[in-house]
Amino acid sequence: MDDFILRALIAGLLLTLMTGPLGCFIVWRRLSYFGDTLAHAALLGIALSLLSGLPSQISVFVVSSALALILSELQRRKEYSSDSLLGLMSHSALALGLVVIALLGPTQISLESLLFGDILLVGWSDIAMILGACIITLIMLALLWRPMVAATLSADLAAAEGLRPRATQLALTLLIAMVIAVSIKLVGALLITAMLILPATLARGLSKTPEQMAVFATLAGMISIIAGIAGSWFGDTPTGPSIVIAALGLFLLTQVKRRDA
């Protein structure tokens, strides 16, 4: 196996350990457009990293986190509908990022790679960063799993039990922002939301408990990574989109199997 294929597989499989369980919360809370908004904000983070000289992952994390906090505060005030706020922030962040990148002139960063990613270019330093993010995510999920699930079912009941739903919502938001920051190089800003949503949606129809859904979503993501990289290698297709197509194919296959059962 070529070294760059091995690196891509390791990075992708580590990514699914985060996107699997986090994607479940996105599906449960109907936050699909929220994840998409943070992914679009990643482009603005990249643009600011070019201006400031900061590492792109740090800049993306800061911008995504700040946007998420602003959205949470605006949603709490209930002056505007959630979908209106998400649409406003999503498209504004994407447009602003694209304009800033264009104004910077010629750069070594490919806009296509930012939008769709290139997992085959992942290096060992990138894998180390993904591994660190994965460890942090899994530890936080292990510590906050029950409060997060309870707050997802009913924020009022979670508050009555002293589980602090707003704090767990903040933790979940920051974890999603971190995953987007470390994964933009793998599957790109426009495709990371699909990796969060598709495996979790697939798992929802097969699971009876939240824990089971998290496991199934992770396994579905892993299968999608392996199938997508293999399909890209043999079919000479873009790797990021190939991974998402593999996830979509797996989802459709499970729907057919469920209908036949």
Side-chain angles (χ1 to χ4, degrees):
M1 180 183 297
D2 291 328
D3 189 54
F4 69 94
I5 294 292
L6 177 62
R7 292 196 302 269
L9 283 171
I10 293 174
L13 294 177
L14 286 174
L15 177 64
T16 61
L17 293 176
M18 298 182 284
T19 57
L22 289 178
C24 292
F25 286 104
I26 289 177
V27 170
W28 288 329
R29 296 186 177 211
R30 299 180 180 179
L31 294 176
S32 300
Y33 204 13
F34 178 77
D36 203 36
T37 300
L38 295 189
H40 286 178
L43 283 180
L44 179 57
I46 292 293
L48 294 181
S49 75
L50 295 174
L51 286 173
S52 64
L54 288 173
S56 60
Q57 289 88 349
I58 294 177
S59 182
V60 169
F61 175 71
V62 170
V63 171
S64 298
S65 299
L67 182 64
L69 293 176
I70 292 172
L71 280 170
S72 297
E73 179 61 23
L74 291 175
Q75 288 174 329
R76 187 180 68 84
R77 295 180 182 180
K78 298 181 180 180
E79 295 178 5
Y80 305 97
S81 63
S82 294
D83 58 342
S84 297
L85 288 172
L86 289 171
L88 171 67
M89 301 298 285
S90 174
H91 299 303
S92 298
L94 177 61
L96 184 58
L98 292 173
V99 168
V100 173
I101 291 175
L103 291 176
L104 289 173
T107 65
Q108 295 181 344
I109 295 181
S110 167
L111 183 59
E112 182 178 351
S113 67
L114 293 179
L115 294 174
F116 303 108
D118 195 344
I119 196 173
L120 298 181
L121 297 181
V122 170
W124 290 112
S125 60
D126 298 309
I127 291 177
M129 182 174 294
I130 296 168
L131 177 60
C134 184
I135 292 173
I136 293 173
T137 299
L138 293 179
I139 290 175
M140 292 297 293
L141 286 174
L143 294 174
L144 299 175
W145 181 261
R146 180 175 173 272
M148 284 183 176
V149 172
T152 299
L153 294 175
S154 174
D156 292 335
L157 289 178
E161 294 179 9
L163 296 178
R164 303 175 63 188
R166 289 198 64 188
T168 58
Q169 170 66 26
L170 175 61
L172 177 63
T173 297
L174 294 177
L175 288 176
I176 295 173
M178 181 177 64
V179 170
I180 290 173
V182 300
S183 62
I184 188 172
K185 188 174 182 178
L186 276 69
V187 292
L190 298 184
L191 300 180
I192 179 57
T193 311
M195 286 305 299
L196 285 165
I197 296 172
L198 277 173
T201 303
L202 178 156
R204 187 172 192 173
L206 304 175
S207 309
K208 297 181 179 179
T209 65
E211 294 77 15
Q212 193 177 64
M213 180 173 168
V215 172
F216 285 169
T218 302
L219 292 176
M222 289 181 172
I223 294 172
S224 301
I225 289 290
I226 295 172
I229 291 176
S232 173
W233 174 257
F234 291 108
D236 194 25
T237 57
T239 311
S242 298
I243 292 172
V244 176
I245 289 174
L248 175 61
L250 189 61
F251 170 76
L252 295 176
L253 179 62
T254 59
Q255 296 306 299
V256 173
K257 291 294 185 181
R258 287 180 62 195
R259 181 173 297 181
D260 292 341

